[in-house]
């Protein structure tokens, strides 16, 4: 009867349910994906897994590999070597690239996205972080008349001793020997041999201290700048009065300018006023009437410099050349700032507006 016949439209759903992963199989798939990247979590069962053993056999056949029984090569590791030695308990994580003639001792770890290429020899216990590049070859490039890609490759090789830690994004170039127990800081570019137990950092990498020795911190650029400014501040505080006294003359200040000639200038008076104000001692820079400092005399002297028509401040000690418009005189333009600031610290202002176009003042 019809009701006893199979119902074809229901069969695909039944088959689908048969193929749905159970919670246990989903968890195991997640764990395997995890250890591919976090390969330090591998177990003996993962090493003995048929899929892993097949991977090892394939590398032995096609990549010249000699892999210890307790070593682990994650699925997704890109291994294309002519020769590979991987010692006991060592592992290569997914997404790492290993190519060339490479040997790792026991307990070595190559994290995801590290790239080891060319001729590289590592001792025991070498820790290689993500995005490290160890490049045991170089391109020929000395002949400027030939394209670099036609000049071939050279290879001296890289030797890395036991118990070395290489931080993320570090680069080690061909020909380098790294001594045992060394630490390569993150981002370092190693172009020269690294002594045993040394900690190196920077571009190019330099020794910053030795493991087990007295810690020596490398000051930041900010701290170096702050220290330099503090020293300058102390020197200026100690010397500024002497500088003003040495350059003071009757009615103003005399100082050497950029051409090496000492001459009086309105700018020198303005500078003296600003310097003294910076140290809370404005009165010490004022012009004097007799022996009495006079703010009003100083203000009047500066205001009298201004040309009423243009608002500029030509300097009596260096007047504009004959036939040169005042707006083209650099000193008259500069003194708008110099005299303007000085009058401001004196609590005053120019008598006239500046009528020169802004574009000229910005030149």
């Amino acid at each position: 009867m019809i009701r006893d016949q199979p119902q074809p439209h229901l069969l695909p759903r039944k088959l689908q349910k048969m193929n749905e992963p159970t919670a246990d199989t989903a968890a195991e798939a997640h764990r395997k994906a995890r250890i591919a990247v976090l390969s330090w979590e591998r177990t003996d069962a993962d090493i003995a897994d048929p899929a892993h053993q097949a991977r090892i056999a394939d590398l032995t056949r096609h990549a010249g590999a000699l892999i210890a029984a307790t070593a682990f090569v994650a699925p997704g590791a890109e291994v294309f070597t002519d020769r590979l030695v991987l010692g006991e308990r060592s592992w290569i994580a997914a997404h790492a690239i290993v190519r060339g003639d490479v040997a790792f001792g026991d307990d070595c770890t190559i994290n995801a996205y590290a790239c080891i290429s060319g001729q590289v020899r590592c001792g025991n216990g070498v820790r290689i972080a993500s995005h490290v590049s160890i490049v045991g070859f170089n391109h020929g490039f000395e002949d400027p008349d030939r394209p670099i890609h036609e000049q071939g490759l050279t290879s001296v090789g890289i030797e890395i001793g036991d118990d070395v830690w290489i931080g993320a994004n570090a680069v080690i170039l061909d020909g380098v020997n790294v001594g045992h127990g060394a630490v390569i800081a993150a981002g370092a570019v190693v172009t020269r041999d690294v002594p045993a137990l040394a900690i190196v950092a920077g571009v190019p990498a330099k020794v910053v201290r030795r493991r087990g020795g007295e810690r020596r911190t490398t000051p930041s650029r900010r701290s170096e700048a702050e220290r330099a400014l503090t020293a300058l501040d102390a020197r200026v505080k100690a010397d500024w009065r002497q500088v003003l006294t040495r350059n003071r003359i009757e009615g103003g200040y005399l100082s050497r300018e950029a051409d090496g000639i000492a001459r009086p200038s309105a700018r020198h008076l303005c500078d003296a006023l600003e310097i003294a104000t910076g140290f809370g001692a404005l009165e010490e820079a004022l012009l004097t009437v007799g022996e009495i400092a006079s703010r009003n005399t100083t203000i009047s002297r500066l205001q009298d410099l201004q040309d009423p028509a243009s608002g500029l401040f030509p300097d009596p000690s260096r007047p504009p050349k004959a036939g040169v418009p005042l707006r083209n005189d650099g000193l008259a333009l500069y003194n708008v700032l110099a005299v303007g600031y000085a009058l401001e610290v004196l609590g005053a202002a120019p008598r006239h507006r500046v009528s020169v176009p802004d574009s000229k003042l910005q030149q």
Side-chain angles (χ1 to χ4, degrees):
M1 297 177 65
I2 293 177
R3 64 174 177 270
D4 294 327
Q5 294 179 352
Q7 301 180 45
H9 65 284
L10 295 179
L11 288 177
R13 177 57 182 165
K14 290 180 179 179
L15 292 173
Q16 181 181 0
K17 288 183 68 63
M18 291 174 60
N19 291 326
E20 285 180 353
T22 65
D24 289 343
T25 58
E28 179 61 13
H30 175 78
R31 192 191 68 81
K32 287 187 175 182
R34 178 184 173 93
I35 65 167
V37 176
L38 311 181
S39 297
W40 56 87
E41 296 182 359
R42 75 211 179 285
T43 65
D44 291 344
D46 295 313
I47 294 171
D49 186 283
H52 180 257
Q53 291 301 313
R55 194 154 52 250
I56 299 302
D58 182 72
L59 292 174
T60 301
R61 284 194 302 271
H62 302 296
L66 178 62
I67 299 175
T70 56
F72 179 74
V73 180
E78 305 291 350
V79 179
F80 302 103
T81 50
D82 302 315
R83 174 178 174 268
L84 170 66
V85 176
L86 191 62
E88 300 289 347
R89 297 171 301 280
S90 294
W91 49 260
I92 303 174
H95 311 298
I97 299 175
V98 182
R99 61 192 181 97
D101 181 358
V102 182
F104 301 101
D106 300 337
D107 301 300
C108 291
T109 59
I110 302 91
N111 276 278
Y113 301 104
C115 181
I116 294 88
S117 54
Q119 183 177 326
V120 179
R121 300 287 181 268
C122 295
N124 299 323
V126 177
R127 325 299 286 181
I128 301 174
S130 294
H131 298 284
V132 164
S133 290
I134 303 176
V135 189
F137 71 94
N138 207 349
H139 288 274
F141 57 84
E142 291 297 341
D143 185 351
D145 298 321
R146 292 177 59 201
I148 290 174
H149 74 269
E150 293 182 359
Q151 296 189 45
L153 303 176
T154 62
S155 180
V156 176
I158 295 171
E159 297 279 346
I160 300 174
D162 296 342
D163 190 32
V164 171
W165 176 24
I166 306 171
N169 294 294
V171 178
I172 301 177
L173 299 183
D174 189 36
V176 166
N177 292 323
V178 180
H180 76 270
V183 175
I184 313 299
V189 177
V190 183
T191 60
R192 296 181 179 180
D193 290 354
V194 177
L197 299 176
I199 301 173
V200 300
V203 180
K206 297 179 180 179
V207 176
V208 295
R209 69 178 180 94
R210 285 177 58 82
R211 289 177 61 192
E214 182 179 352
R215 180 178 294 273
R216 184 185 74 184
T217 58
T218 301
S220 66
R221 291 184 179 180
R222 180 185 179 92
S223 64
E224 288 179 339
E226 288 175 346
R227 185 165 56 251
L229 288 172
T230 299
L232 177 63
D233 178 65
R235 181 178 176 184
V236 173
K237 283 180 179 177
D239 293 349
W240 74 270
R241 283 187 173 89
Q242 180 182 352
V243 171
L244 263 59
T245 300
R246 185 170 63 243
N247 291 282
R248 186 188 283 270
I249 60 174
E250 185 177 354
Y253 291 86
L254 180 73
S255 181
R256 285 194 304 272
E257 298 192 350
D259 58 7
I261 299 174
R263 59 171 63 89
S265 172
R267 189 176 77 252
H268 300 329
L269 171 59
C270 297
D271 291 343
L273 292 167
E274 290 186 53
I275 291 169
T277 300
F279 292 98
L282 172 62
E283 300 296 322
E284 297 186 33
L286 296 174
L287 299 178
T288 58
V289 178
E291 295 185 359
I292 301 174
S294 173
R295 182 184 293 258
N296 289 336
T297 298
T298 306
I299 291 172
S300 295
R301 172 71 64 81
L302 293 172
Q303 289 176 331
D304 288 346
L305 296 173
Q306 190 174 31
D307 172 63
S310 65
L312 302 182
F313 291 83
D315 196 314
S317 65
R318 299 182 69 178
K321 294 180 180 179
V324 176
L326 199 58
R327 66 177 180 274
N328 292 335
D329 180 67
L331 193 53
L333 290 165
Y334 176 84
N335 283 341
V336 172
L337 298 177
V339 177
Y341 287 146
L343 288 171
E344 184 176 348
V345 302
L346 289 164
R351 295 192 182 111
H352 311 286
R353 291 173 59 95
V354 176
S355 59
V356 174
D358 287 345
S359 60
K360 196 66 182 177
L361 292 174
Q362 293 171 2
Q363 291 180 358

